mmCIF file of all heavy atoms in Angstrom:
data_model
loop_
_atom_site.group_PDB
_atom_site.id
_atom_site.type_symbol
_atom_site.label_atom_id
_atom_site.label_comp_id
_atom_site.label_asym_id
_atom_site.label_seq_id
_atom_site.Cartn_x
_atom_site.Cartn_y
_atom_site.Cartn_z
ATOM 1 N N ILE A 1 111.911 114.620 108.110
ATOM 2 C CA ILE A 1 111.239 115.878 107.794
ATOM 3 C C ILE A 1 110.859 115.919 106.318
ATOM 4 O O ILE A 1 109.720 116.253 105.953
ATOM 5 C CB ILE A 1 112.137 117.074 108.164
ATOM 6 C CG1 ILE A 1 112.286 117.165 109.688
ATOM 7 C CG2 ILE A 1 111.573 118.376 107.611
ATOM 8 C CD1 ILE A 1 113.277 118.200 110.145
ATOM 9 N N CYS A 2 111.795 115.578 105.455
ATOM 10 C CA CYS A 2 111.509 115.584 104.016
ATOM 11 C C CYS A 2 110.513 114.489 103.652
ATOM 12 O O CYS A 2 109.697 114.666 102.739
ATOM 13 C CB CYS A 2 112.808 115.412 103.231
ATOM 14 S SG CYS A 2 113.961 116.799 103.400
ATOM 15 N N TRP A 3 110.572 113.372 104.349
ATOM 16 C CA TRP A 3 109.620 112.275 104.118
ATOM 17 C C TRP A 3 108.191 112.756 104.347
ATOM 18 O O TRP A 3 107.287 112.510 103.528
ATOM 19 C CB TRP A 3 109.953 111.129 105.069
ATOM 20 C CG TRP A 3 109.141 109.896 104.906
ATOM 21 C CD1 TRP A 3 107.896 109.657 105.409
ATOM 22 C CD2 TRP A 3 109.516 108.704 104.201
ATOM 23 N NE1 TRP A 3 107.476 108.402 105.076
ATOM 24 C CE2 TRP A 3 108.443 107.782 104.340
ATOM 25 C CE3 TRP A 3 110.639 108.325 103.495
ATOM 26 C CZ2 TRP A 3 108.486 106.513 103.774
ATOM 27 C CZ3 TRP A 3 110.677 107.046 102.935
ATOM 28 C CH2 TRP A 3 109.624 106.166 103.068
ATOM 29 N N GLU A 4 107.981 113.462 105.444
ATOM 30 C CA GLU A 4 106.639 113.965 105.741
ATOM 31 C C GLU A 4 106.231 115.080 104.779
ATOM 32 O O GLU A 4 105.052 115.211 104.430
ATOM 33 C CB GLU A 4 106.583 114.468 107.188
ATOM 34 C CG GLU A 4 106.692 113.363 108.226
ATOM 35 C CD GLU A 4 105.571 112.351 108.091
ATOM 36 O OE1 GLU A 4 104.488 112.581 108.653
ATOM 37 O OE2 GLU A 4 105.756 111.324 107.414
ATOM 38 N N LEU A 5 107.198 115.872 104.339
ATOM 39 C CA LEU A 5 106.890 116.921 103.363
ATOM 40 C C LEU A 5 106.411 116.321 102.041
ATOM 41 O O LEU A 5 105.530 116.886 101.385
ATOM 42 C CB LEU A 5 108.114 117.802 103.125
ATOM 43 C CG LEU A 5 108.443 118.799 104.241
ATOM 44 C CD1 LEU A 5 109.741 119.535 103.920
ATOM 45 C CD2 LEU A 5 107.307 119.793 104.446
ATOM 46 N N THR A 6 106.979 115.188 101.654
ATOM 47 C CA THR A 6 106.498 114.545 100.425
ATOM 48 C C THR A 6 105.054 114.072 100.590
ATOM 49 O O THR A 6 104.261 114.142 99.636
ATOM 50 C CB THR A 6 107.391 113.349 100.036
ATOM 51 O OG1 THR A 6 107.375 112.368 101.084
ATOM 52 C CG2 THR A 6 108.819 113.791 99.785
ATOM 53 N N SER A 7 104.697 113.606 101.784
ATOM 54 C CA SER A 7 103.307 113.182 102.019
ATOM 55 C C SER A 7 102.352 114.365 101.940
ATOM 56 O O SER A 7 101.269 114.280 101.340
ATOM 57 C CB SER A 7 103.186 112.504 103.390
ATOM 58 O OG SER A 7 103.942 111.313 103.444
ATOM 59 N N ILE A 8 102.763 115.489 102.532
ATOM 60 C CA ILE A 8 101.896 116.671 102.534
ATOM 61 C C ILE A 8 101.742 117.235 101.125
ATOM 62 O O ILE A 8 100.633 117.553 100.679
ATOM 63 C CB ILE A 8 102.463 117.734 103.489
ATOM 64 C CG1 ILE A 8 102.428 117.211 104.929
ATOM 65 C CG2 ILE A 8 101.679 119.041 103.381
ATOM 66 C CD1 ILE A 8 103.167 118.080 105.914
ATOM 67 N N THR A 9 102.846 117.367 100.409
ATOM 68 C CA THR A 9 102.767 117.926 99.055
ATOM 69 C C THR A 9 102.048 116.985 98.094
ATOM 70 O O THR A 9 101.337 117.439 97.193
ATOM 71 C CB THR A 9 104.174 118.244 98.523
ATOM 72 O OG1 THR A 9 105.035 117.096 98.705
ATOM 73 C CG2 THR A 9 104.783 119.421 99.263
ATOM 74 N N SER A 10 102.228 115.685 98.277
ATOM 75 C CA SER A 10 101.490 114.755 97.415
ATOM 76 C C SER A 10 99.995 114.830 97.695
ATOM 77 O O SER A 10 99.173 114.682 96.774
ATOM 78 C CB SER A 10 101.992 113.318 97.620
ATOM 79 O OG SER A 10 101.707 112.874 98.939
ATOM 80 N N TYR A 11 99.622 115.080 98.935
ATOM 81 C CA TYR A 11 98.207 115.292 99.276
ATOM 82 C C TYR A 11 97.646 116.482 98.500
ATOM 83 O O TYR A 11 96.544 116.424 97.932
ATOM 84 C CB TYR A 11 98.082 115.518 100.782
ATOM 85 C CG TYR A 11 96.765 116.113 101.224
ATOM 86 C CD1 TYR A 11 95.620 115.328 101.301
ATOM 87 C CD2 TYR A 11 96.668 117.454 101.568
ATOM 88 C CE1 TYR A 11 94.409 115.865 101.707
ATOM 89 C CE2 TYR A 11 95.462 118.003 101.974
ATOM 90 C CZ TYR A 11 94.344 117.206 102.041
ATOM 91 O OH TYR A 11 93.144 117.739 102.444
ATOM 92 N N LEU A 12 98.408 117.554 98.450
ATOM 93 C CA LEU A 12 97.973 118.744 97.720
ATOM 94 C C LEU A 12 97.906 118.480 96.218
ATOM 95 O O LEU A 12 97.017 118.984 95.524
ATOM 96 C CB LEU A 12 98.919 119.906 98.013
ATOM 97 C CG LEU A 12 98.981 120.369 99.472
ATOM 98 C CD1 LEU A 12 100.087 121.399 99.665
ATOM 99 C CD2 LEU A 12 97.642 120.946 99.909
ATOM 100 N N LEU A 13 98.854 117.702 95.712
ATOM 101 C CA LEU A 13 98.883 117.413 94.281
ATOM 102 C C LEU A 13 97.746 116.481 93.873
ATOM 103 O O LEU A 13 97.078 116.705 92.853
ATOM 104 C CB LEU A 13 100.228 116.804 93.901
ATOM 105 C CG LEU A 13 101.414 117.776 93.880
ATOM 106 C CD1 LEU A 13 102.732 117.024 93.815
ATOM 107 C CD2 LEU A 13 101.289 118.733 92.701
ATOM 108 N N ILE A 14 97.529 115.430 94.641
ATOM 109 C CA ILE A 14 96.449 114.491 94.309
ATOM 110 C C ILE A 14 95.094 115.187 94.384
ATOM 111 O O ILE A 14 94.194 114.920 93.588
ATOM 112 C CB ILE A 14 96.504 113.266 95.244
ATOM 113 C CG1 ILE A 14 97.806 112.483 95.019
ATOM 114 C CG2 ILE A 14 95.302 112.350 95.015
ATOM 115 C CD1 ILE A 14 98.055 111.406 96.047
ATOM 116 N N GLY A 15 94.952 116.096 95.328
ATOM 117 C CA GLY A 15 93.695 116.824 95.474
ATOM 118 C C GLY A 15 93.646 118.118 94.691
ATOM 119 O O GLY A 15 92.910 119.038 95.071
ATOM 120 N N HIS A 16 94.407 118.198 93.602
ATOM 121 C CA HIS A 16 94.439 119.439 92.813
ATOM 122 C C HIS A 16 93.047 119.833 92.337
ATOM 123 O O HIS A 16 92.634 120.991 92.456
ATOM 124 C CB HIS A 16 95.371 119.267 91.610
ATOM 125 C CG HIS A 16 95.358 120.431 90.666
ATOM 126 N ND1 HIS A 16 95.876 121.664 90.995
ATOM 127 C CD2 HIS A 16 94.868 120.556 89.396
ATOM 128 C CE1 HIS A 16 95.717 122.492 89.978
ATOM 129 N NE2 HIS A 16 95.105 121.851 89.004
ATOM 130 N N THR A 17 92.310 118.877 91.822
ATOM 131 C CA THR A 17 90.927 119.152 91.409
ATOM 132 C C THR A 17 90.011 118.950 92.618
ATOM 133 O O THR A 17 89.190 118.029 92.658
ATOM 134 C CB THR A 17 90.520 118.221 90.250
ATOM 135 O OG1 THR A 17 90.777 116.853 90.630
ATOM 136 C CG2 THR A 17 91.320 118.538 89.001
ATOM 137 N N HIS A 18 90.169 119.828 93.599
ATOM 138 C CA HIS A 18 89.520 119.628 94.896
ATOM 139 C C HIS A 18 88.008 119.799 94.841
ATOM 140 O O HIS A 18 87.313 119.465 95.801
ATOM 141 C CB HIS A 18 90.099 120.612 95.910
ATOM 142 C CG HIS A 18 90.100 122.029 95.431
ATOM 143 N ND1 HIS A 18 88.983 122.821 95.457
ATOM 144 C CD2 HIS A 18 91.091 122.793 94.887
ATOM 145 C CE1 HIS A 18 89.271 124.011 94.975
ATOM 146 N NE2 HIS A 18 90.545 124.030 94.609
ATOM 147 N N GLU A 19 87.485 120.311 93.744
ATOM 148 C CA GLU A 19 86.036 120.422 93.633
ATOM 149 C C GLU A 19 85.383 119.054 93.415
ATOM 150 O O GLU A 19 84.170 118.915 93.563
ATOM 151 C CB GLU A 19 85.649 121.366 92.496
ATOM 152 C CG GLU A 19 86.050 120.891 91.096
ATOM 153 C CD GLU A 19 87.489 121.214 90.745
ATOM 154 O OE1 GLU A 19 88.186 121.782 91.617
ATOM 155 O OE2 GLU A 19 87.912 120.914 89.615
ATOM 156 N N LYS A 20 86.189 118.037 93.090
ATOM 157 C CA LYS A 20 85.671 116.688 92.892
ATOM 158 C C LYS A 20 85.838 115.885 94.173
ATOM 159 O O LYS A 20 86.910 115.869 94.773
ATOM 160 C CB LYS A 20 86.409 115.992 91.742
ATOM 161 C CG LYS A 20 86.252 116.678 90.391
ATOM 162 C CD LYS A 20 87.032 115.947 89.312
ATOM 163 C CE LYS A 20 86.907 116.620 87.960
ATOM 164 N NZ LYS A 20 87.707 115.921 86.914
ATOM 165 N N GLU A 21 84.774 115.201 94.556
ATOM 166 C CA GLU A 21 84.815 114.432 95.792
ATOM 167 C C GLU A 21 85.842 113.308 95.730
ATOM 168 O O GLU A 21 86.531 113.024 96.711
ATOM 169 C CB GLU A 21 83.429 113.859 96.100
ATOM 170 C CG GLU A 21 83.370 113.109 97.420
ATOM 171 C CD GLU A 21 81.998 112.535 97.708
ATOM 172 O OE1 GLU A 21 81.072 112.801 96.911
ATOM 173 O OE2 GLU A 21 81.857 111.837 98.725
ATOM 174 N N THR A 22 85.960 112.664 94.553
ATOM 175 C CA THR A 22 86.912 111.556 94.426
ATOM 176 C C THR A 22 88.346 112.037 94.640
ATOM 177 O O THR A 22 89.151 111.332 95.250
ATOM 178 C CB THR A 22 86.791 110.909 93.036
ATOM 179 O OG1 THR A 22 86.925 111.920 92.021
ATOM 180 C CG2 THR A 22 85.452 110.214 92.884
ATOM 181 N N ALA A 23 88.656 113.238 94.145
ATOM 182 C CA ALA A 23 90.006 113.778 94.328
ATOM 183 C C ALA A 23 90.274 114.056 95.801
ATOM 184 O O ALA A 23 91.359 113.743 96.321
ATOM 185 C CB ALA A 23 90.184 115.043 93.498
ATOM 186 N N ARG A 24 89.312 114.647 96.487
ATOM 187 C CA ARG A 24 89.486 114.941 97.915
ATOM 188 C C ARG A 24 89.626 113.655 98.710
ATOM 189 O O ARG A 24 90.483 113.548 99.602
ATOM 190 C CB ARG A 24 88.302 115.756 98.437
ATOM 191 C CG ARG A 24 88.127 117.111 97.775
ATOM 192 C CD ARG A 24 87.169 117.984 98.577
ATOM 193 N NE ARG A 24 85.862 117.373 98.726
ATOM 194 C CZ ARG A 24 84.859 117.532 97.873
ATOM 195 N NH1 ARG A 24 85.032 118.282 96.785
ATOM 196 N NH2 ARG A 24 83.686 116.965 98.091
ATOM 197 N N GLN A 25 88.808 112.687 98.388
ATOM 198 C CA GLN A 25 88.836 111.417 99.107
ATOM 199 C C GLN A 25 90.151 110.682 98.872
ATOM 200 O O GLN A 25 90.754 110.151 99.816
ATOM 201 C CB GLN A 25 87.647 110.564 98.673
ATOM 202 C CG GLN A 25 87.433 109.308 99.493
ATOM 203 C CD GLN A 25 86.225 108.526 99.010
ATOM 204 O OE1 GLN A 25 86.276 107.835 98.000
ATOM 205 N NE2 GLN A 25 85.123 108.649 99.726
ATOM 206 N N SER A 26 90.618 110.664 97.625
ATOM 207 C CA SER A 26 91.873 109.981 97.305
ATOM 208 C C SER A 26 93.062 110.680 97.944
ATOM 209 O O SER A 26 93.996 110.024 98.422
ATOM 210 C CB SER A 26 92.057 109.916 95.788
ATOM 211 O OG SER A 26 91.006 109.200 95.182
ATOM 212 N N ALA A 27 93.045 112.009 97.946
ATOM 213 C CA ALA A 27 94.136 112.760 98.567
ATOM 214 C C ALA A 27 94.192 112.482 100.062
ATOM 215 O O ALA A 27 95.282 112.277 100.628
ATOM 216 C CB ALA A 27 93.951 114.249 98.308
ATOM 217 N N LEU A 28 93.038 112.456 100.707
ATOM 218 C CA LEU A 28 93.002 112.176 102.141
ATOM 219 C C LEU A 28 93.482 110.759 102.426
ATOM 220 O O LEU A 28 94.212 110.521 103.395
ATOM 221 C CB LEU A 28 91.579 112.371 102.671
ATOM 222 C CG LEU A 28 91.381 112.079 104.166
ATOM 223 C CD1 LEU A 28 92.237 113.006 105.010
ATOM 224 C CD2 LEU A 28 89.905 112.214 104.547
ATOM 225 N N GLN A 29 93.068 109.820 101.585
ATOM 226 C CA GLN A 29 93.499 108.435 101.784
ATOM 227 C C GLN A 29 95.015 108.308 101.674
ATOM 228 O O GLN A 29 95.655 107.670 102.514
ATOM 229 C CB GLN A 29 92.824 107.531 100.756
ATOM 230 C CG GLN A 29 93.112 106.058 100.962
ATOM 231 C CD GLN A 29 92.427 105.188 99.922
ATOM 232 O OE1 GLN A 29 92.839 105.171 98.767
ATOM 233 N NE2 GLN A 29 91.391 104.469 100.327
ATOM 234 N N ALA A 30 95.599 108.923 100.650
ATOM 235 C CA ALA A 30 97.052 108.878 100.485
ATOM 236 C C ALA A 30 97.747 109.515 101.673
ATOM 237 O O ALA A 30 98.766 109.006 102.173
ATOM 238 C CB ALA A 30 97.457 109.580 99.189
ATOM 239 N N LEU A 31 97.206 110.631 102.163
ATOM 240 C CA LEU A 31 97.824 111.315 103.300
ATOM 241 C C LEU A 31 97.747 110.479 104.567
ATOM 242 O O LEU A 31 98.730 110.375 105.317
ATOM 243 C CB LEU A 31 97.131 112.662 103.520
ATOM 244 C CG LEU A 31 97.673 113.493 104.694
ATOM 245 C CD1 LEU A 31 99.108 113.912 104.440
ATOM 246 C CD2 LEU A 31 96.786 114.709 104.938
ATOM 247 N N LEU A 32 96.591 109.869 104.822
ATOM 248 C CA LEU A 32 96.436 109.077 106.038
ATOM 249 C C LEU A 32 97.331 107.839 106.022
ATOM 250 O O LEU A 32 98.003 107.527 107.008
ATOM 251 C CB LEU A 32 94.968 108.677 106.220
ATOM 252 C CG LEU A 32 93.999 109.809 106.583
ATOM 253 C CD1 LEU A 32 92.577 109.279 106.652
ATOM 254 C CD2 LEU A 32 94.389 110.442 107.911
ATOM 255 N N VAL A 33 97.339 107.135 104.897
ATOM 256 C CA VAL A 33 98.126 105.900 104.828
ATOM 257 C C VAL A 33 99.613 106.202 104.929
ATOM 258 O O VAL A 33 100.329 105.619 105.759
ATOM 259 C CB VAL A 33 97.813 105.132 103.529
ATOM 260 C CG1 VAL A 33 98.738 103.923 103.390
ATOM 261 C CG2 VAL A 33 96.369 104.670 103.518
ATOM 262 N N THR A 34 100.094 107.120 104.103
ATOM 263 C CA THR A 34 101.530 107.440 104.135
ATOM 264 C C THR A 34 101.895 108.215 105.391
ATOM 265 O O THR A 34 103.014 108.088 105.898
ATOM 266 C CB THR A 34 101.932 108.246 102.894
ATOM 267 O OG1 THR A 34 101.174 109.465 102.839
ATOM 268 C CG2 THR A 34 101.659 107.452 101.626
ATOM 269 N N GLY A 35 100.958 109.031 105.897
ATOM 270 C CA GLY A 35 101.240 109.777 107.124
ATOM 271 C C GLY A 35 101.363 108.869 108.335
ATOM 272 O O GLY A 35 102.264 109.043 109.167
ATOM 273 N N LEU A 36 100.470 107.891 108.457
ATOM 274 C CA LEU A 36 100.578 106.931 109.562
ATOM 275 C C LEU A 36 101.848 106.096 109.427
ATOM 276 O O LEU A 36 102.513 105.783 110.421
ATOM 277 C CB LEU A 36 99.345 106.028 109.597
ATOM 278 C CG LEU A 36 98.040 106.715 110.015
ATOM 279 C CD1 LEU A 36 96.861 105.763 109.863
ATOM 280 C CD2 LEU A 36 98.141 107.204 111.460
ATOM 281 N N GLY A 37 102.186 105.742 108.189
ATOM 282 C CA GLY A 37 103.460 105.058 107.979
ATOM 283 C C GLY A 37 104.627 105.926 108.375
ATOM 284 O O GLY A 37 105.638 105.438 108.919
ATOM 285 N N GLY A 38 104.510 107.242 108.130
ATOM 286 C CA GLY A 38 105.560 108.162 108.533
ATOM 287 C C GLY A 38 105.736 108.219 110.034
ATOM 288 O O GLY A 38 106.873 108.338 110.540
ATOM 289 N N MET A 39 104.645 108.136 110.788
ATOM 290 C CA MET A 39 104.758 108.122 112.250
ATOM 291 C C MET A 39 105.473 106.862 112.730
ATOM 292 O O MET A 39 106.296 106.908 113.659
ATOM 293 C CB MET A 39 103.367 108.208 112.881
ATOM 294 C CG MET A 39 102.603 109.475 112.528
ATOM 295 S SD MET A 39 103.530 110.981 112.920
ATOM 296 C CE MET A 39 103.593 110.864 114.704
ATOM 297 N N ALA A 40 105.157 105.733 112.100
ATOM 298 C CA ALA A 40 105.884 104.503 112.435
ATOM 299 C C ALA A 40 107.356 104.643 112.079
ATOM 300 O O ALA A 40 108.241 104.198 112.838
ATOM 301 C CB ALA A 40 105.260 103.315 111.688
#
């Protein structure tokens, strides 16, 4: 549970400057990679 919470909160932190496309893209990438790893 805490492992997945770190992925979600890091997504929010990386995408802090969400008005920038690079920030949104990087946040999504981090969430997908670590989130899929979390499912495994």
